[in-house]
Amino acid sequence: MNTIICAGGSGSRVLESIIHLCASGLGPDEMRVFIVDPDKSNGNGTHTSGLLAAYLETQKAVERSDTALGLFHTKFDLLYGEKERGGGLRVWSPVPAGKTLGDILNFNNLRGTDADVARLLFTEEELTTGLDHGFLGRPAIGAAAMSLLSTKQDEEPWPALTARIKSDLNHPEGSRVLIIGSVFGGTGASSIHPLVRFLKTIPEINAERLKIAVVALVPYFEFVSGNVDQEESREERISARSERFLVKTKAAVRFYEHLKSNQDWDFEGMYWIGNSENRRVRRASGGSQQKNPAHPVELMAALASLEYFDDPKIRKLCHYCGPAQGEAIDQPNEVRWTDLPMRPSGRKRIEHAIRCFFLASFTHLAYFRDLLDEESVLDDRPYCIPWYLDKFALKKDWLTDSKNRADLNKYESYLKSFYFPWWIDLHRERETKLLRRDTFMEGPSDEARRNLRLGYLADLFYDNRGAEKDPYAIDRFFDAMVKVSSKKGAGFQDGVGAYVSLLLRAAQRYIDPKEK
């Protein structure tokens, strides 16, 4: 069984990419997941929680899809205990609400050497500032809090996770855990090693069947600088600062190298992922304002995560990934399909799945959604739409009925609120060259950018060609829908699941005409 523990805001953003890949059919059958973050109101975590809720709703809406396609097939275990009511994505905080580092260390009651050591390691501001918005970009604060993890083992989700891992260890395939976080911030940098140490205490038998790996993100963004002449507030003085990212990263690398050289390296694998050119983002001290756009580095981290779960042969290695270096010194790094971490044996399959799901989703919102709104045609003249007549109308499976309409709305909500905005974020920088930016980015506002441009259907995927506007491209896709629908044994079921399966089968045929 697979478990993902996401630490901090960067971990939450990687989980966003993982969920979208699962929607495309690339995830494992089951996955446990939760977030470790003292900042429970973190905007990145809130966004990912909403995404997972939309994924689960869409999963129900398309449950009658072709199982061979794997759409939304990954089941998420959110680690609720037997006595708990199930809820959304769980966020666990190592710090009680309203508490400071001084409260956690019981600083006011320390005497003698203990008090002197605390004063030596932490400033007065660090000891007295509330931690509801995280560890302030300071791993030392987080490490102090996370060192008490063993005293929190009776707090959910730890009892639920412990019980499930022990159950996994009774099976030969064992349990795989992946911890995701940055090493240049506060929560991720301070959580990775304490989490590994705690997890290693769980097995009572078959300890060798517990495999733990880490996705360690190194700097790939920086904060927009403020007015250097303006006096900083207390909160700004002790919050995360991007000029310190490299120093903290260097310290983290040295720490893990020290562990490895001393045979104290408990990781099955460690994935180091980043970018030498940082995207500039607005600085926020936590809370709902900390909501950075998705980044290609997070997509790379998500693919590395799924590779770890999919490949049982990974053994005690470090892996490195980032965008390709530009040919000239002044040329920016570009992110192309070949930069994404995929094993050579599976690259074609993974890339094909991502492209096909995007194409199916694109054609639905850009064209077929309006067609499905024509109830007078669908109900009274279905013969005008051969694929609809063949696969739906003749079976009395009307996509216009109330249940199918509700399911279709759930699917569309996921696409419009999460999936396409994610792709737009990935392409905010012109150096990202996975899809044609002009297919969905027109106008200055984000809302305008969500308008999909059907005219570029013939050339959605970046391949160095000029813009190809082909007014007949949608006709070829429509024809693919007809040909797929007329094939016996396509594996379709009914309702919206059958419709989405049909879109994906047509996308496969459209991209590769040799597809059956």
Side-chain angles (χ1 to χ4, degrees):
M1 181 64 170
N2 307 308
T3 302
I4 289 182
I5 304 175
C6 300
S10 294
S12 296
R13 291 194 299 276
V14 174
L15 180 57
E16 175 186 12
S17 292
I18 290 174
I19 293 171
H20 288 306
L21 293 177
C22 290
S24 305
L26 292 173
D29 291 337
E30 295 180 281
M31 186 186 300
R32 304 182 189 114
V33 61
F34 70 101
I35 294 174
V36 172
D37 197 341
D39 185 3
K40 290 191 174 183
S41 62
N42 183 292
N44 295 302
T46 301
H47 176 80
T48 304
S49 295
L51 165 61
L52 182 58
Y55 173 96
L56 296 175
E57 285 295 308
T58 308
Q59 187 178 58
K60 296 176 184 176
V62 301
E63 63 181 351
R64 297 285 292 168
S65 63
D66 182 355
T67 55
L69 297 173
L71 296 173
F72 295 88
H73 82 283
T74 300
K75 296 180 180 179
F76 286 91
D77 178 357
L78 303 183
L79 289 166
Y80 284 91
E82 295 180 358
K83 298 181 180 180
E84 293 183 298
R85 295 182 61 184
L89 180 61
R90 184 191 286 278
V91 180
W92 178 81
S93 172
V95 181
K99 297 297 184 179
T100 67
L101 178 61
D103 295 329
I104 297 170
L105 299 178
N106 197 21
F107 178 74
N108 291 333
N109 293 321
L110 295 180
R111 297 291 183 268
T113 302
D114 291 339
D116 292 338
V117 170
R119 291 192 186 94
L120 177 65
L121 295 176
F122 304 104
T123 66
E124 182 69 19
E125 283 185 328
E126 290 173 334
L127 287 168
T128 58
T129 299
L131 299 179
D132 286 350
H133 283 175
F135 293 138
L136 314 173
R138 304 199 175 193
I141 296 177
M146 291 298 296
S147 67
L148 302 175
L149 178 56
S150 60
T151 68
K152 310 281 187 178
Q153 59 185 322
D154 293 331
E155 294 181 8
E156 294 291 358
W158 302 113
L161 177 61
T162 298
R164 286 164 170 79
I165 288 179
K166 287 181 178 179
S167 176
D168 292 344
L169 298 180
N170 291 323
H171 303 280
E173 59 272 21
S175 184
R176 286 196 162 216
V177 180
L178 184 70
I179 301 170
I180 304 173
S182 73
V183 297
F184 58 89
T187 303
S190 61
S191 297
I192 292 174
H193 194 240
L195 286 170
V196 174
R197 286 189 305 177
F198 172 76
L199 292 170
K200 284 294 184 178
T201 67
I202 291 177
E204 296 173 349
I205 57 172
N206 301 321
E208 73 282 357
R209 294 179 182 176
L210 174 59
K211 309 296 184 182
I212 303 174
V214 171
V215 170
L217 300 173
V218 299
Y220 61 97
F221 64 84
E222 63 184 22
F223 299 128
V224 177
S225 300
N227 186 348
V228 296
D229 297 325
Q230 183 177 348
E231 184 177 354
E232 291 184 314
S233 66
R234 170 190 171 101
E235 191 174 50
E236 290 172 332
R237 284 197 302 272
I238 61 175
S239 62
R241 306 180 72 94
S242 50
E243 58 265 32
R244 298 172 182 161
F245 285 173
L246 289 178
V247 174
K248 288 191 287 187
T249 300
K250 187 176 182 179
V253 171
R254 286 182 171 177
F255 173 71
Y256 289 110
E257 280 297 318
H258 171 77
L259 293 180
K260 196 167 188 179
S261 63
N262 286 276
Q263 285 74 50
D264 191 23
W265 204 70
D266 291 324
F267 311 115
E268 194 68 14
M270 199 161 188
Y271 299 83
W272 295 89
I273 302 177
N275 188 10
S276 59
E277 294 178 0
N278 295 334
R279 174 186 284 180
R280 303 184 75 197
V281 300
R282 183 172 57 85
R283 182 178 176 183
S285 57
S288 61
Q289 298 302 310
Q290 185 176 333
K291 187 179 179 182
N292 297 345
H295 192 284
V297 162
E298 295 150 12
L299 174 58
M300 295 178 189
L303 286 164
S305 302
L306 297 183
E307 176 182 306
Y308 167 67
F309 290 136
D310 192 46
D311 186 359
K313 297 180 181 180
I314 295 176
R315 289 291 183 271
K316 304 292 183 182
L317 297 173
C318 282
H319 309 264
Y320 303 89
C321 181
Q325 180 67 46
E327 295 181 3
I329 295 178
D330 59 346
Q331 181 179 342
N333 297 345
E334 293 183 344
V335 181
R336 300 174 182 269
W337 289 99
T338 52
D339 297 314
L340 301 182
M342 309 175 198
R343 295 188 311 282
S345 60
R347 173 173 294 279
K348 183 176 180 181
R349 175 185 64 85
I350 295 170
E351 185 176 330
H352 189 61
I354 295 173
R355 290 185 179 215
C356 287
F357 186 72
F358 179 87
L359 178 58
S361 303
F362 178 90
T363 53
H364 169 70
L365 283 188
Y367 180 76
F368 289 108
R369 182 64 185 90
D370 291 338
L371 185 63
L372 295 180
D373 279 338
E374 297 293 334
E375 294 190 17
S376 60
V377 175
L378 294 180
D379 292 344
D380 301 332
R381 292 174 290 167
Y383 49 81
C384 294
I385 309 174
W387 57 261
Y388 183 73
L389 176 67
D390 182 30
K391 296 303 300 180
F392 298 95
L394 291 179
K395 295 181 178 180
K396 306 300 182 183
D397 183 17
W398 305 101
L399 293 181
T400 54
D401 69 28
S402 59
K403 182 183 184 307
N404 284 334
R405 282 293 184 194
D407 287 342
L408 199 60
N409 288 338
K410 293 175 184 177
Y411 170 57
E412 290 173 2
S413 178
Y414 161 74
L415 296 180
K416 291 189 290 186
S417 299
F418 297 99
Y419 183 67
F420 282 106
W422 174 67
W423 276 113
I424 291 169
D425 280 350
L426 293 179
H427 288 77
R428 283 182 183 271
E429 306 294 335
R430 292 189 174 275
E431 288 71 41
T432 303
K433 296 183 176 180
L434 302 174
L435 304 174
R436 292 198 63 88
R437 299 173 76 249
D438 46 10
T439 59
F440 45 56
M441 299 185 76
E442 59 177 359
S445 70
D446 282 345
E447 189 59 38
R449 289 176 177 179
R450 290 180 173 83
N451 295 329
L452 306 178
R453 301 172 73 177
L454 190 61
Y456 290 95
L457 177 61
D459 195 25
L460 286 177
F461 307 105
Y462 192 92
D463 57 5
N464 288 325
R465 294 184 302 184
E468 272 190 30
K469 290 187 177 181
D470 183 355
Y472 300 106
I474 189 61
D475 291 333
R476 295 199 301 275
F477 193 95
F478 192 99
D479 184 56
M481 295 269 283
V482 174
K483 290 179 179 178
V484 171
S485 68
S486 63
K487 186 178 77 70
K488 293 183 179 180
F492 298 124
Q493 301 295 319
D494 53 41
V496 173
Y499 168 68
V500 176
S501 298
L502 179 59
L503 284 174
L504 195 66
R505 290 287 189 190
Q508 292 173 343
R509 177 182 285 270
Y510 181 88
I511 291 176
D512 183 1
K514 296 179 182 179
E515 283 276 358
K516 296 181 180 180

